[in-house]
Amino acid sequence: MILYSLLHSYVLGHDAMKRMQSSNILVSGLRGLGVEIAKNVILGGVKSVTLHDQGQAEWRDLSSQFYLREEDLGKNRAEVSQTRLAELNSYVPVVAYTEALTDDYLTQFQVVVLTNSPLEEQQRVGDFCHSNGIKLVIADTRGLFGQLFCDFGEEMLVIDTNGEQPLSAMISMITKDAAGVVTCLDEARHGFENGDSVIFTEVQGMTELNSCQPIEIKTLGPYTFSICDTTGFSDYVRGGIVSQVKMPQKVAFKSLTTSMTEPEFVVTDFAKFERPGQLHLGFQALHSYQRKHSRLPKPWCQADGEELVSLAKEVNSSQTGSAKVDELDDKLIKKLAFVSAGDLAPINAFIGGLAAQEVMKACTGKFMPIMQWLYFDALECLSEEEGGAMLTEEDCAPRNSRYDGQIAVFGSQLQEELAKQRYFLVGAGAIGCELLKNFAMIGLAGGEGEVIVTDMDTIEKSNLNRQFLFRPWDVTKMKSETAAAAVKQMNPSIRITGHQNRVGPETERVYDDDFFESLHGVANALDNVDARMYMDRRCVYYRKPLLESGTLGTKGNVQVVIPFLTESYSSSQDPPEKSIPICTLKNFPNAIEHTLQVTHTHPAGNTHTPCRDAKFLERTLKLPGAQPLEVLEAVYKSLVIDCPRSWADCVTWARHHWQCQYSNNIHQLLHNFPPEQLTSSGAPFWSGPKRCPHPLEFSTSNHLHMDYVMSGANLFAQSYGMQGSTDRVGVAKILDSLSVPTFVPRSGVKIHVSDQELQSANVNVDDNRLEELKTLLPGPEASSHFKLTAIDFEKDDDSNFHMDFIVAASNLRAENYNIPPADRHKSKLIAGKIIPAIATTTSAVVGLVCLELIKIVQGHKKVESFKNGFMNLALPFFTFSEPISAPSHKYYEIDWSLWDRFEVKGLQANGEEMTLRQFLDYFKNEHQLEITMLSQGVSMLYSFFMPAAKLKERLLLPMTEIVTKVSKKKLGKHVKALVFELCCNDLTEEDVEVPYVRYTIR
């Protein structure tokens, strides 16, 4: 179970995961929405999941129910889906149930989820669950519309409302008065909000605060807040840490019956603020229509649309509570009728992700639930013509096709266009798997088109809890090929090819001009900014739409990039992460993140060169400052002084290293800066962010000390290709026999207090020692005697000692500085730079991405038709906005953006290539531009200040010859065009900003 729940526990926490693992869940209705919810809940790691459905698979189910096949038509949906859903997580029992839902049967569940249920059943089950302490989630999708309702009882305790790590700040002052104003150090804003509760530790003087219960605060500014009357407390002296405390919050829910008349709404799109109230009535009218006709309104049937409007008006007139609206939106209700028979995979993915997250909230008390109704629509996916292009009943009639549920909304023409699409998907991880599933369901590349997915990674065990296309037997296989085969099972019509290439300059021979020009668009499923920006540049250059998305725990975002319409991904960027000063890491840590970062690299795993190699020495001696001496000293130490001959030598090395790190270095630091040291201004040196350390005394009876030696010695042995050991008793015996020299601090040792001081310090390199080391290093002939191997950090292998060493080293250093330690779980999260990911957020985000894909394939041209989105399912919070238009520049009277450029054909009519002189003349004559500088990449091809002789030579050369001459690289046969950047003057000799040049050579 640990394997499947690990990443979810990074988001939810250990306690929440335990509560979830004791919860039995019922999911009723196994059409597309139900299977999406069940998938996400099973991956989350609950105790059990029961699948309930009394219906048989129909053609329209295949448009979004990814675990049904054509051969399953006529079979019970729950029974068919059970086997395939059970494969997702072997630790979660999954059973099918096909009888009616009786009250007795419901009592065994902690959470009940209803999808595709009549209103009467929703009310019956809802009233029973509300009265019996069973939490209820109702989810429904109708074409482009979605509905979600939650009832978690009259007194639910929410343990953590937002899931954020508790904030903390260091204190510089506390006033002794009625307000009790706390001022924090101005290194960073405290980040607290009004009403937050905090506790105090390490306060000197006003020590009464250290034992106080959580205090509710009132913020006064970014660095100050008020706590309480402190006049009766002792005088504040110095120091102290204030930490936020997550206080449980009670939340009361109304029953479904009550909430229908007095609804509370979570708004998903503030541009549609009035719609939830309208759709609340519209969905009730749909239930009335179904009850009356035993079917939903026919797709795009005018008569059925008019009837639904009449029913909605009846529902509205019968309302006595706040659910009643002043005026019904007839057009909106009609559109609900027109598309309600549809069943769309992207809408199910979005609502299914949200619903599954609510199930987890119900189980765990972690995060704020939806209070209590949520409505969503994606009507922008319809035609951009006023009112939407009126499809006909014939266009959208069922055809006994797997896409019937989609044709009911968009007609058959869009289906034909989707089948022709050629898309490039970059990444087959969590987002990539969800995208491929949705691609298969909507019929992307289901005809003459193609999906090309590339991912260079293999499947790891830790992938299985969110990358749902993979199974335990797929571990070590290539992600792209395995994912492609999995979605081929879902829809055999999809044409898909898996690649194992990294995207970047090194693969531009594969993903060349011909490749990109053949695409209709690109979807990113990447986990790093550099790769995203590279793909963004490629899409801008080739003028291809880009679908960009990302997740972080319960947070997710979607961005759509449309040629000539929107800005690109690279147009706006998040600010860079704040780096931790080197001196803080080295000598003055004050948080566990500091101790983890400084211990991330094992000291034995840094040496890559085993001998006095000429090339190695040449490279090393070119390094700046004191680095050559530091590198050679480290190499000499590894190869000569510390080189072990036995396991006992490895243990000895680890013990001495422990002594150096956690005792000797601290003694030296305190010798330089004694505990009572004052600064030049008379303030205590050890105050504020500087925590006064204390040295540790080694003991074989201390488990943490032994953990460090055991893991350190084994890693040291691995570095030299030696056999390690897990015999702690044997290691203790070796340690007992060791004699560790007593350390005496030295005078004259310089310890830098700040990075500024470090950078400005004069570097004195001992040239004599440098020359001595060059001769002392073993020569090339000694390489056969050494097997020194660099150790690459791998967090997920619990047998390799990597995390053992990092946890021990970090917590020992934390003990030096009286910093609270971190357990293995938290240490792995920080040191492994793990990006928490859960299936619910991924599912919801990808649903939104695929709605934007449908708009692109439909040919939408208005920027207001597209939606960038951000969500935080923990709060819950949603915001949508139209993409930012591409910024416009002016060249003479011509407006241009990042999507525009000059197109220049290098080959002239006579078959000869344009020379530099002809290139310059072309711009002067055709565009009235005087080029002052011309570059290609990092190569300067021409400048007005170039020496006359060089300029005379270049003016006569063809452009490609100049490029190869300056860059010293031959142009590959795959290169069809070059990109040139220009600096120009207009004819008045004023600088003008102009687009780049695409210079075609083939």
Side-chain angles (χ1 to χ4, degrees):
M1 193 67 180
I2 293 173
L3 184 65
Y4 281 83
S5 62
L6 185 59
L7 278 189
H8 282 86
S9 68
Y10 287 130
V11 180
L12 300 175
H14 281 310
D15 293 339
M17 282 304 302
K18 288 178 182 176
R19 289 191 290 273
M20 198 155 73
Q21 288 162 10
S22 63
S23 300
N24 299 302
I25 314 299
L26 170 70
V27 179
S28 177
L30 264 293
R31 286 197 157 119
L33 178 59
V35 77
E36 185 69 48
I37 296 170
K39 176 205 63 166
N40 294 329
V41 170
I42 292 166
L43 289 171
V46 295
K47 184 178 181 180
S48 74
V49 173
T50 298
L51 311 173
H52 171 255
D53 201 315
Q54 293 184 284
Q56 282 71 48
E58 305 168 11
W59 276 109
R60 66 186 179 121
D61 295 328
L62 299 184
S63 63
S64 67
Q65 220 286 22
F66 45 88
Y67 284 146
L68 292 180
R69 314 282 186 259
E70 289 189 20
E71 59 266 27
D72 299 324
L73 294 173
K75 299 177 184 176
N76 180 274
R77 286 185 289 257
E79 291 178 338
V80 172
S81 304
Q82 182 271 332
T83 306
R84 291 155 188 161
L85 282 166
E87 291 179 350
L88 290 170
N89 189 342
S90 59
Y91 297 98
V92 177
V94 180
V95 297
Y97 179 71
T98 59
E99 303 299 321
L101 292 179
T102 63
D103 291 352
D104 286 343
Y105 188 77
L106 293 173
T107 56
Q108 62 186 296
F109 302 104
Q110 281 69 51
V111 185
V112 170
V113 182
L114 297 181
T115 72
N116 197 42
S117 297
L119 181 58
E120 294 73 25
E121 181 169 78
Q122 291 178 4
Q123 290 176 319
R124 178 185 68 80
V125 172
D127 289 342
F128 178 82
C129 289
H130 190 81
S131 302
N132 289 273
I134 301 170
K135 297 175 174 66
L136 174 71
V137 175
I138 297 175
D140 228 338
T141 58
R142 300 295 177 192
L144 288 166
F145 296 86
Q147 176 195 55
L148 191 56
F149 170 78
C150 297
D151 173 13
F152 299 161
E154 294 180 2
E155 194 174 277
M156 180 192 182
L157 195 65
V158 179
I159 306 299
D160 180 357
T161 58
N162 61 18
E164 300 295 334
Q165 286 295 316
L167 301 170
S168 65
M170 291 187 172
I171 300 166
S172 64
M173 183 61 194
I174 305 175
T175 63
K176 187 176 179 179
D177 53 28
V181 176
V182 179
T183 304
C184 300
L185 291 174
D186 59 5
E187 288 191 332
R189 296 166 180 257
H190 56 61
F192 300 136
E193 296 179 0
N194 275 337
D196 280 352
S197 295
V198 299
I199 57 171
F200 293 84
T201 54
E202 302 181 28
V203 175
Q204 296 182 41
M206 200 177 283
T207 54
E208 295 89 344
L209 286 174
N210 293 331
S211 56
C212 274
Q213 292 297 307
I215 302 171
E216 190 172 309
I217 68 167
K218 180 181 179 181
T219 57
L220 303 174
Y223 306 102
T224 57
F225 58 87
S226 173
I227 47 171
C228 60
D229 187 343
T230 57
T231 53
F233 292 171
S234 306
D235 291 338
Y236 175 77
V237 177
R238 65 170 176 267
I241 297 172
V242 57
S243 302
Q244 184 185 37
V245 178
K246 296 292 185 76
M247 301 298 289
Q249 183 174 331
K250 288 183 179 178
V251 182
F253 291 80
K254 303 169 191 172
S255 69
L256 173 64
T257 304
T258 305
S259 188
M260 284 179 67
T261 58
E262 298 288 345
E264 296 176 66
F265 299 118
V266 171
V267 178
T268 56
D269 189 341
F270 288 94
K272 305 174 180 179
F273 192 77
E274 301 297 330
R275 283 198 188 170
Q278 298 282 336
L279 292 176
H280 188 64
L281 301 172
F283 269 79
Q284 290 180 58
L286 273 179
H287 284 293
S288 298
Y289 188 100
Q290 271 190 293
R291 187 166 54 249
K292 182 178 179 182
H293 297 282
S294 299
R295 64 171 175 84
L296 286 163
K298 294 175 185 176
W300 295 90
C301 174
Q302 291 294 328
D304 288 0
E306 295 289 350
E307 184 176 351
L308 189 71
V309 172
S310 297
L311 288 170
K313 288 179 178 177
E314 290 177 18
V315 171
N316 188 39
S317 62
S318 67
Q319 296 295 321
T320 57
S322 61
K324 190 168 187 174
V325 299
D326 294 334
E327 187 177 352
L328 200 67
D329 187 337
D330 293 3
K331 288 184 178 179
L332 179 66
I333 302 302
K334 263 192 179 181
K335 285 184 179 176
L336 175 61
F338 291 160
V339 303
S340 62
D343 190 16
L344 303 179
I347 296 289
N348 288 333
F350 178 70
I351 298 296
L354 270 56
Q357 188 65 57
E358 295 308 302
V359 172
M360 294 180 186
K361 293 176 186 178
C363 296
T364 63
K366 187 78 179 268
F367 310 142
M368 182 58 71
I370 286 173
M371 300 294 294
Q372 286 186 254
W373 293 93
L374 179 146
Y375 288 94
F376 174 80
D377 76 81
L379 289 177
E380 300 83 7
C381 291
L382 297 175
S383 169
E384 288 183 314
E385 295 177 26
E386 184 62 33
M390 291 306 296
L391 294 163
T392 65
E393 290 183 56
E394 186 181 354
D395 291 332
C396 304
R399 290 157 167 73
N400 288 344
S401 155
R402 68 173 302 118
Y403 307 117
D404 276 356
Q406 192 160 275
I407 291 171
V409 176
F410 299 113
S412 57
Q413 187 175 347
L414 174 64
Q415 207 57 56
E416 293 169 7
E417 289 301 316
L418 283 165
K420 299 174 187 175
Q421 297 295 300
R422 181 175 164 84
Y423 256 75
F424 186 30
L425 172 59
V426 188
I431 290 177
C433 284
E434 288 288 342
L435 281 168
L436 286 173
K437 177 255 288 180
N438 279 273
F439 288 174
M441 291 296 98
I442 68 175
L444 190 77
E448 59 194 61
E450 184 181 15
V451 172
I452 303 96
V453 54
T454 188
D455 195 309
M456 60 181 292
D457 289 340
T458 56
I459 299 163
E460 300 175 3
K461 290 180 181 178
S462 60
N463 300 148
L464 300 179
N465 75 329
R466 64 203 189 284
Q467 299 175 20
F468 85 105
L469 295 180
F470 308 140
R471 301 290 177 268
W473 51 85
D474 294 323
V475 171
T476 72
K477 294 179 183 177
M478 298 305 300
K479 284 186 176 181
S480 58
E481 291 179 351
T482 308
V487 295
K488 196 82 169 154
Q489 290 287 316
M490 294 177 176
N491 182 355
S493 299
I494 187 172
R495 292 184 60 196
I496 183 167
T497 306
H499 291 183
Q500 294 81 48
N501 302 317
R502 183 197 300 273
V503 291
E506 66 272 19
T507 54
E508 286 180 5
R509 290 178 178 274
V510 179
Y511 307 121
D512 56 11
D513 292 350
D514 290 336
F515 175 82
F516 270 95
E517 286 166 2
S518 71
L519 297 176
H520 290 96
V522 175
N524 274 350
L526 293 159
D527 60 1
N528 69 88
V529 173
D530 289 343
R532 284 184 167 112
M533 292 182 70
Y534 172 79
M535 286 308 301
D536 179 63
R537 290 194 299 272
R538 299 294 274 175
C539 288
V540 170
Y541 178 71
Y542 291 107
R543 296 166 169 173
K544 299 298 178 182
L546 172 65
L547 296 163
E548 176 59 63
S549 59
T551 67
L552 179 64
T554 58
K555 302 184 185 84
N557 69 281
V558 177
Q559 181 180 358
V560 57
V561 178
I562 307 295
F564 301 103
L565 196 61
T566 73
E567 68 175 9
S568 74
Y569 171 80
S570 305
S571 298
S572 56
Q573 297 177 38
D574 293 331
E577 288 186 23
K578 188 176 180 182
S579 60
I580 304 169
I582 295 171
C583 290
T584 298
L585 293 173
K586 194 172 182 182
N587 295 309
F588 308 110
N590 57 62
I592 197 67
E593 288 79 8
H594 301 163
T595 68
L596 277 163
Q597 186 160 331
V598 82
T599 56
H600 195 156
T601 304
H602 184 267
N606 299 330
T607 305
H608 294 259
T609 304
C611 58
R612 190 176 65 247
D613 177 80
K615 290 183 179 178
F616 165 69
L617 287 175
E618 182 182 352
R619 288 196 306 269
T620 302
L621 293 173
K622 288 181 179 178
L623 294 172
Q627 288 186 50
L629 184 59
E630 291 171 359
V631 170
L632 293 185
E633 287 281 16
V635 173
Y636 178 66
K637 198 168 186 292
S638 296
L639 298 185
V640 181
I641 298 174
D642 291 338
C643 184
R645 297 290 184 268
S646 65
W647 168 242
D649 288 346
C650 297
V651 174
T652 301
W653 175 88
R655 173 64 181 88
H656 285 300
H657 196 267
W658 187 102
Q659 190 70 21
C660 178
Q661 292 293 311
Y662 308 110
S663 181
N664 298 356
N665 287 353
I666 303 300
H667 278 294
Q668 183 66 56
L669 184 61
L670 292 173
H671 175 77
N672 283 42
F673 307 107
E676 65 280 0
Q677 175 97 5
L678 299 178
T679 65
S680 57
S681 64
F685 177 86
W686 294 106
S687 63
K690 292 186 177 68
R691 302 173 70 92
C692 186
H694 65 277
L696 305 182
E697 292 294 327
F698 185 84
S699 171
T700 53
S701 61
N702 187 305
H703 289 294
L704 193 59
H705 297 186
M706 287 297 291
D707 286 347
Y708 181 90
V709 172
M710 287 296 301
S711 56
N714 273 282
L715 290 171
F716 195 67
Q718 288 175 29
S719 298
Y720 291 89
M722 296 176 60
Q723 184 68 39
S725 171
T726 56
D727 181 6
R728 291 176 81 97
V729 175
V731 168
K733 287 181 179 178
I734 297 172
L735 293 172
D736 289 338
S737 66
L738 286 179
S739 175
V740 179
T742 303
F743 177 76
V744 179
R746 292 173 293 150
S747 298
V749 174
K750 179 64 177 175
I751 296 177
H752 299 290
V753 175
S754 67
D755 282 12
Q756 293 86 346
E757 183 183 308
L758 176 64
Q759 291 165 5
S760 61
N762 292 323
V763 179
N764 295 316
V765 179
D766 187 340
D767 291 331
N768 293 330
R769 177 58 178 165
L770 197 60
E771 290 300 319
E772 182 184 15
L773 285 169
K774 287 161 63 176
T775 60
L776 288 174
L777 287 176
E781 69 283 351
S783 62
S784 60
H785 302 295
F786 294 101
K787 190 181 179 182
L788 193 58
T789 307
I791 299 173
D792 295 321
F793 175 52
E794 173 49 63
K795 66 185 182 300
D796 292 324
D797 183 353
D798 287 336
S799 66
N800 64 9
F801 297 101
H802 295 190
M803 281 310 303
D804 300 278
F805 179 80
I806 284 175
V807 173
S810 170
N811 285 338
L812 285 166
R813 189 163 173 78
E815 187 180 346
N816 277 138
Y817 288 86
N818 296 309
I819 298 169
D823 60 16
R824 188 182 187 92
H825 179 78
K826 183 176 180 180
S827 298
K828 183 184 285 192
L829 177 67
I830 298 170
K833 297 181 179 179
I834 293 172
I835 299 174
I838 50 176
T840 51
T841 315
T842 307
S843 173
V845 162
V846 169
L848 297 178
V849 170
C850 290
L851 291 174
E852 299 308 304
L853 170 62
I854 287 172
K855 297 173 190 177
I856 292 170
V857 177
Q858 291 231 79
H860 284 15
K861 301 296 182 187
K862 299 175 183 177
V863 70
E864 58 267 26
S865 297
F866 295 94
K867 293 280 187 180
N868 288 346
F870 171 80
M871 69 183 77
N872 186 342
L873 302 188
L875 298 178
F877 173 78
F878 306 87
T879 180
F880 293 94
S881 62
E882 66 182 52
I884 297 174
S885 297
S888 181
H889 308 277
K890 215 168 189 68
Y891 148 61
Y892 287 108
E893 297 303 315
I894 300 170
D895 289 323
W896 63 274
S897 73
L898 74 155
W899 299 99
D900 295 298
R901 62 192 178 209
F902 293 113
E903 294 281 358
V904 178
K905 291 184 179 180
L907 290 179
Q908 301 175 89
N910 59 7
E912 294 184 0
E913 190 191 347
M914 187 181 283
T915 64
L916 176 58
R917 183 185 293 282
Q918 290 169 328
F919 185 88
L920 299 175
D921 290 343
Y922 169 83
F923 275 87
K924 191 170 185 178
N925 298 329
E926 295 294 323
H927 300 289
Q928 293 75 52
L929 290 173
E930 188 85 40
I931 296 178
T932 55
M933 284 190 287
L934 174 68
S935 61
Q936 193 263 334
V938 296
S939 302
M940 181 65 73
L941 308 182
Y942 163 78
S943 68
F944 68 92
F945 51 79
M946 188 174 280
K950 183 184 286 188
L951 176 59
K952 184 178 179 182
E953 177 192 354
R954 286 196 182 174
L955 285 171
L956 302 175
L957 295 177
M959 296 297 290
T960 54
E961 190 174 330
I962 298 173
V963 170
T964 55
K965 186 175 183 179
V966 175
S967 66
K968 298 179 181 178
K969 294 179 182 177
K970 291 184 178 180
L971 295 178
K973 293 180 179 179
H974 64 285
V975 178
K976 293 173 65 176
L978 298 171
V979 173
F980 296 142
E981 289 83 30
L982 308 177
C983 287
C984 297
N985 292 336
D986 61 19
L987 296 184
T988 65
E989 296 192 353
E990 287 193 15
D991 291 342
V992 290
E993 192 174 2
V994 297
Y996 68 93
V997 178
R998 185 174 187 265
Y999 179 81
T1000 309
I1001 58 177
R1002 303 189 207 284

